Amino acid sequence: MKKLLVGNWKMNKNSHEVAEFFKTFNEHFSEKREAWIASQSIHFPIVEELKTSGVKAGLQNCSEHIDGAFTGEVSPRALKDMNGHFVILGHSERRQYFGETSRGLNAKVRTVMNEGLVAVYCVGETLSERENGQTLSIIEDQLHQGLNDQSKANIDNLIIAYEPVWAIGTGKTATPKEAQEVHAYIRSILQTKFPSFGDKTRILYGGSVKPDNIEELLAQKDIDGGLVGGASLKAKDFLALCGDK
Ligand code: PEP
């Protein structure tokens, strides 16, 4: 399976900058690796229209409901109807600033996968949790709570992103060895929870991934790709991550 790079644009770019990005990106993207882009929801239709067909578009969050009286929310069913492919769920910024919890995210993961979208479920420890030696137990809790009772029939639509909170947007990257250690642990939990899918489920690393550290990270056995914030905003950097210099 090809390595996958998911760009998380967060709340960045205006419509002209989105167009500029794809003008450069489309010209050089060779599909050597997979490239997905999670834009702000308001930009989704522009991304969908301008991206080359090899790129998949998605969002950074959505409702756990498919429709109804939920003012201001974005429906995963509406996203699917607009040709959306995936949703990032449980990003540490959503957990930190919007009070999302693994238990609450369980419902979002379920709805997203039921709607035929891919759920990119994020887990990761804070710096103090790492320093206290709690990394693996935090990851285990986040996985159990978020994935508890998910239908095995939908597990093809699950991707896990390991994002140590201390490495996001800080310029500090987990070493390939540190990242691999957690990825292997995540893999072992998935193998127990979903025996026939644990080996296949993609596990992405996120946290200050850059063109100069991507190759070493992707060389690790259980790292299937990257979830990328800052370095996904510039077409040239994201192309480099996708193996297209
Ligand atoms: C992210 O937002 O998911 C992320 C990993 O950001 P950055 O690459 O900027 O650290």
Side-chain angles (χ1 to χ4, degrees):
M1 198 179 273
K2 287 183 190 176
K3 300 285 184 185
L4 166 64
L5 279 305
V6 179
N8 172 16
W9 282 356
K10 312 195 184 192
M11 206 171 70
N12 292 304
K13 291 196 186 292
N14 61 34
S15 55
H16 301 290
E17 289 164 341
V18 174
E20 280 297 306
F21 178 95
F22 284 111
K23 210 162 108 191
T24 306
F25 190 83
N26 291 351
E27 209 177 305
H28 302 282
F29 181 54
S30 71
E31 300 193 36
K32 195 180 296 170
R33 293 176 182 158
E34 281 188 61
W36 299 4
I37 294 289
S39 64
Q40 302 184 54
S41 39
I42 196 167
H43 289 150
F44 175 85
I46 318 176
V47 171
E48 185 54 27
E49 186 191 327
L50 297 182
K51 71 181 181 55
T52 175
S53 59
V55 173
K56 293 191 166 120
L59 295 181
Q60 303 160 15
N61 177 40
C62 70
S63 174
E64 70 192 71
H65 304 286
I66 50 171
D67 55 22
F70 301 100
T71 303
E73 289 289 271
V74 174
S75 157
R77 184 164 289 180
L79 177 63
K80 180 74 182 173
D81 178 54
M82 299 283 283
N83 210 27
H85 187 69
F86 73 101
V87 186
I88 298 172
L89 293 172
H91 188 279
S92 68
E93 287 152 18
R94 301 279 329 157
R95 293 176 186 261
Q96 188 179 349
Y97 305 132
F98 303 98
E100 295 205 0
T101 62
S102 301
R103 212 175 287 274
L105 286 159
N106 187 291
K108 289 194 182 190
V109 171
R110 175 171 297 103
T111 310
V112 161
M113 296 198 304
N114 277 344
E115 291 304 307
L117 294 159
V118 176
V120 181
Y121 178 60
C122 303
V123 296
E125 81 287 1
T126 63
L127 185 57
S128 63
E129 288 163 346
R130 174 161 281 261
E131 287 172 347
N132 290 334
Q134 294 171 294
T135 300
L136 299 185
S137 65
I138 292 290
I139 301 298
E140 185 174 358
D141 277 358
Q142 291 172 336
L143 287 174
H144 281 311
Q145 289 174 24
L147 304 182
N148 206 20
D149 292 332
Q150 299 292 352
S151 154
K152 292 196 176 42
N154 288 335
I155 288 306
D156 269 350
N157 287 344
L158 177 70
I159 290 178
I160 303 296
Y162 168 56
E163 298 209 303
V165 179
W166 49 271
I168 298 178
T170 58
K172 288 186 201 149
T173 321
T175 64
K177 189 167 167 278
E178 283 170 332
Q180 166 59 26
E181 187 190 359
V182 180
H183 279 236
Y185 186 65
I186 293 172
R187 175 89 60 214
S188 71
I189 292 176
L190 294 173
Q191 281 162 339
T192 310
K193 258 184 151 9
F194 311 108
S196 47
F197 294 99
D199 285 333
K200 290 187 240 155
T201 305
R202 296 211 259 196
I203 308 173
L204 311 181
Y205 169 78
S208 298
V209 171
K210 302 271 182 304
D212 63 7
N213 60 26
I214 184 74
E215 300 304 330
E216 238 191 318
L217 287 161
L218 293 185
Q220 304 305 307
K221 178 171 174 285
D222 292 295
I223 300 186
D224 303 307
L227 176 54
V228 187
S232 70
L233 289 168
K234 287 198 188 133
K236 287 211 160 108
D237 286 346
F238 199 52
L239 279 163
L241 297 180
C242 293
D244 297 314
K245 300 259 173 200

